[in-house]
Amino acid sequence: MLSLVRVTLALSLAVLSANAENLLVTVGAGNSLAFSPSNITAAAGDVINFQFQSKNHSVTQSSFASPCTPLANGVDSGFQAVPVNATAFPQFSIVLKNASRPLFFFSAQDAAASECNKGMVFSLNADADSANSFDAFQKAAEALATSTSASTGKAASPSSASSSASTGSTAATTFLVDIGAGGSLKFNPPNITAKAGDVVQFLFESKNHSITQSSFASPCTPLAGGIDSGFQPVSETDTEVPAFSFTLSNANKPLFFFSKQTAVVNECQQGMVFSVNADPNSAESFAAFQAAAMASSGSSASAGSANSASPSASGLTAAPAASSTAAAVPGLVSVGVGEGGSLTFSPSNVIAKAGDTVQFQFLSKNHSVTQSSFASPCTPLVGGIDSGFQPVLETANQVPAFSFTVNDASKPLFFFSKQTAAVNECQKGMVFSLNADANSNESFEAFQRREGGCILVILGSWGFRHT
Ligand SMILES: *[C@@H]1O[C@H](CO)[C@@H](O)[C@H](O)[C@H]1NC(C)=O
Ligand SMILES: *[C@@H]1O[C@H](CO)[C@@H](O)[C@H](O)[C@H]1NC(C)=O
Ligand SMILES: *[C@@H]1O[C@H](CO)[C@@H](O)[C@H](O)[C@H]1NC(C)=O
Ligand SMILES: *[C@@H]1O[C@H](CO)[C@@H](O)[C@H](O)[C@H]1NC(C)=O
Ligand SMILES: *[C@@H]1O[C@H](CO)[C@@H](O)[C@H](O)[C@H]1NC(C)=O
Ligand SMILES: *[C@@H]1O[C@H](CO)[C@@H](O)[C@H](O)[C@H]1NC(C)=O
Ligand SMILES: *[C@@H]1O[C@H](CO)[C@@H](O)[C@H](O)[C@H]1NC(C)=O
Ligand SMILES: *[C@@H]1O[C@H](CO)[C@@H](O)[C@H](O)[C@H]1NC(C)=O
């Protein structure tokens, strides 16, 4: 009855009910060697989407001092080759955490000529009036050009680039697909149905996966000229969360993908595959694709369903979200977890309607959002939602967030923080309810009273948010 979308975004601590902006920067539009726009200003929480429209560029972070040298531990999209007449444009995104610091980027491509030396650079929040302006950065990049600079690249045949993406990305649906949530070897949802212009955004939540295009015939082999995010390792200390997206420009053909990681296990053969617009009633359904991927291994491992919930027990399912509810945009209800160091959810009860996304932002310490039942407030519900522990460093610029989408608003759901290390937080009243009726016998207060050793003053504001 309820589809689950788990999202880990880098979010500013300050942004509780974030209406983060999605900003689009094209890379190589019209076959140019340019980012467009070449410099932007953005606020903390905003998502900057780099859309690769031609050739084979990268978005690689550098510094003002060394414009054409990758910054150690900086963001790097890897090379994103775009075939002529591409059916989809790859998109790489970052979530901004700190808007008071300028960030500098370049395309690391230097196969034909150094694109950086040709001025293919980008800045975020560079102050136009300071010495470290975008202009000064670009000039410094161009000044690095040595002796003979080949004049390839600027010859443009603009009409060959599809224009569907630039127009489609704001009005279109954005699908969020979670990669490796909770350490699993899964895409969630594993298959979606999308229309031309829609954006599919992948969030790398753990380990070191990729989203790599293949074909139905060869599920675990990269498709020549296909989309490939490259490996996107995630460590707990990362300051930016990698995300990778593409915009669908042709919805008439199914697209097939896998994680090409094979270091520990062959993830594709474990069923870590994904499809767009695979017809469930055709021979090339998602289920058939996944079966073929798994059959390509000797073992009949069933890791594709690791961590799987029992939908009937919880009224929830982590499995395919219907395309209509996978959209990121409809009603977002934000809940702070541990605001100001408190042992609270704020607000502690919210009313949400079907289709709304409830997003928990972990603001301090090391809490969880774990589903329980009214009858047993401090016991995880079998098959229930569980964010796992989400530790937050005091010095962190980003906080983890965990979300799910409500499909059935007719029943109350109950949650707690399962942390017991210093104190049993649930018994301290750190509980949360969704759609609990204040006038019923299963109200939030009744729930909190049930197991609470003591009743806390709720520091956060009570609130009901619709939309
Ligand atoms: C981008 O750079 C140009 C040239 O330095 C400058 O005039 C403009 O204000 C900058 N735009 C932003 C948004 O910083
Ligand atoms: C791209 O599309 C155009 C127009 O349909 C066609 O003429 C051209 O051959 C295509 N190029 C490639 C490489 O497919
Ligand atoms: C943001 O960056 C500025 C400039 O580097 C720094 O002074 C400030 O402490 C940073 N803010 C956070 C929250 O890290
Ligand atoms: C993209 O560029 C990189 C670096 O020059 C190169 O290794 C890679 O083969 C290129 N990819 C394609 C598909 O041309
Ligand atoms: C996903 O695949 C399954 C199995 O083929 C199918 O039942 C379901 O309808 C598909 N969902 C979407 C959104 O395509
Ligand atoms: C990610 O996986 C690739 C392929 O197995 C490997 O080459 C790379 O070193 C890994 N990166 C990290 C940071 O573990
Ligand atoms: C978070 O809490 C869990 C459970 O008490 C613990 O195992 C884990 O080490 C903690 N993480 C951090 C970073 O403190
Ligand atoms: C609340 O009332 C409903 C019927 O109105 C009943 O089914 C349910 O068991 C009651 N719950 C508790 C905790 O008393």
Side-chain angles (χ1 to χ4, degrees):
M1 295 302 286
L2 199 140
S3 66
L4 177 62
V5 180
R6 292 177 65 174
V7 183
T8 302
L9 288 178
L11 291 165
S12 157
L13 290 167
V15 186
L16 243 188
S17 55
N19 260 339
E21 275 201 79
N22 255 300
L23 304 168
L24 181 70
V25 177
T26 61
V27 184
N31 284 338
S32 66
L33 293 187
F35 294 88
S36 177
S38 57
N39 57 351
I40 62 170
T41 54
D46 286 354
V47 181
I48 297 98
N49 301 289
F50 296 93
Q51 186 175 81
F52 296 86
Q53 294 201 351
S54 71
K55 300 181 178 166
N56 185 358
H57 305 296
S58 78
V59 176
T60 304
Q61 193 174 0
S62 63
S63 61
F64 185 84
S66 301
C68 301
T69 305
L71 185 68
N73 300 318
V75 164
D76 192 351
S77 68
F79 292 106
Q80 297 295 338
V82 181
V84 175
N85 300 344
T87 53
F89 293 132
Q91 195 164 299
F92 178 80
S93 313
I94 58 175
V95 184
L96 188 66
K97 300 166 312 157
N98 187 340
S100 50
R101 190 171 49 174
L103 303 177
F104 298 96
F105 302 85
F106 69 109
S107 170
Q109 185 59 268
D110 57 8
S114 162
E115 294 183 345
C116 185
N117 291 350
K118 294 204 162 284
M120 191 168 183
V121 296
F122 173 79
S123 70
L124 188 56
N125 293 332
D127 180 352
D129 300 323
S130 82
N132 293 4
S133 68
F134 169 76
D135 273 357
F137 178 62
Q138 192 177 41
K139 284 207 180 73
E142 288 169 348
L144 291 169
T146 48
S147 56
T148 59
S149 58
S151 63
T152 52
K154 291 245 168 169
S157 53
S159 57
S160 68
S162 160
S163 62
S164 69
S166 49
T167 52
S169 63
T170 43
T173 303
T174 297
F175 292 89
L176 288 179
V177 180
D178 219 23
I179 305 186
S184 68
L185 296 185
K186 292 204 286 192
F187 294 90
N188 183 23
N191 57 340
I192 60 166
T193 303
K195 62 185 188 308
D198 285 352
V199 175
V200 189
Q201 180 169 73
F202 300 88
L203 298 159
F204 293 87
E205 292 219 27
S206 71
K207 299 181 179 163
N208 185 357
H209 304 296
S210 78
I211 171 86
T212 304
Q213 193 173 1
S214 63
S215 61
F216 185 84
S218 301
C220 301
T221 306
L223 184 68
I227 284 173
D228 191 353
S229 67
F231 292 108
Q232 296 290 346
V234 180
S235 85
E236 291 196 2
T237 56
D238 276 350
T239 53
E240 270 96 16
V241 175
F244 178 83
S245 338
F246 58 80
T247 304
L248 200 65
S249 51
N250 180 348
N252 299 327
K253 287 187 297 196
L255 303 178
F256 297 97
F257 301 86
F258 69 110
S259 170
K260 67 181 179 182
Q261 185 59 267
T262 58
V264 179
V265 292
N266 183 316
E267 296 183 345
C268 182
Q269 291 177 357
Q270 297 288 314
M272 189 166 184
V273 296
F274 176 77
S275 69
V276 178
N277 293 334
D279 178 352
N281 301 316
S282 80
E284 299 196 353
S285 67
F286 168 77
F289 178 63
Q290 189 177 44
M294 295 174 76
S296 62
S297 83
S299 70
S300 58
S302 61
S305 59
N307 293 345
S308 73
S310 157
S312 53
S314 61
L316 307 167
T317 170
S323 56
S324 57
T325 57
V329 202
L332 179 72
V333 181
S334 292
V335 180
V337 183
E339 191 172 6
S342 66
L343 296 185
T344 64
F345 293 88
S346 53
S348 52
N349 178 57
V350 299
I351 305 297
K353 61 187 188 334
D356 284 350
T357 296
V358 185
Q359 182 181 71
F360 299 88
Q361 299 186 5
F362 295 86
L363 301 176
S364 70
K365 298 181 179 164
N366 185 357
H367 305 296
S368 78
V369 176
T370 304
Q371 193 176 1
S372 63
S373 62
F374 184 84
S376 300
C378 301
T379 306
L381 184 68
V382 176
I385 283 178
D386 192 351
S387 68
F389 292 108
Q390 298 288 349
V392 181
L393 291 177
E394 283 189 22
T395 54
N397 293 331
Q398 63 182 16
V399 299
F402 175 84
S403 316
F404 58 81
T405 301
V406 180
N407 270 3
D408 180 357
S410 68
K411 282 186 298 210
L413 302 178
F414 298 97
F415 301 84
F416 68 109
S417 170
K418 68 181 179 182
Q419 185 59 268
T420 58
V423 293
N424 183 318
E425 295 183 346
C426 183
Q427 290 178 2
K428 291 281 185 197
M430 191 167 182
V431 297
F432 173 80
S433 63
L434 181 66
N435 292 332
D437 179 350
N439 300 316
S440 81
N441 59 351
E442 297 191 358
S443 67
F444 169 78
E445 280 82 1
F447 178 61
Q448 192 179 43
R449 227 180 290 124
R450 259 186 102 77
E451 198 97 6
C454 62
I455 305 296
L456 281 197
V457 175
I458 305 304
L459 300 177
S461 57
W462 265 74
F464 300 96
R465 287 188 42 201
H466 297 269
T467 57

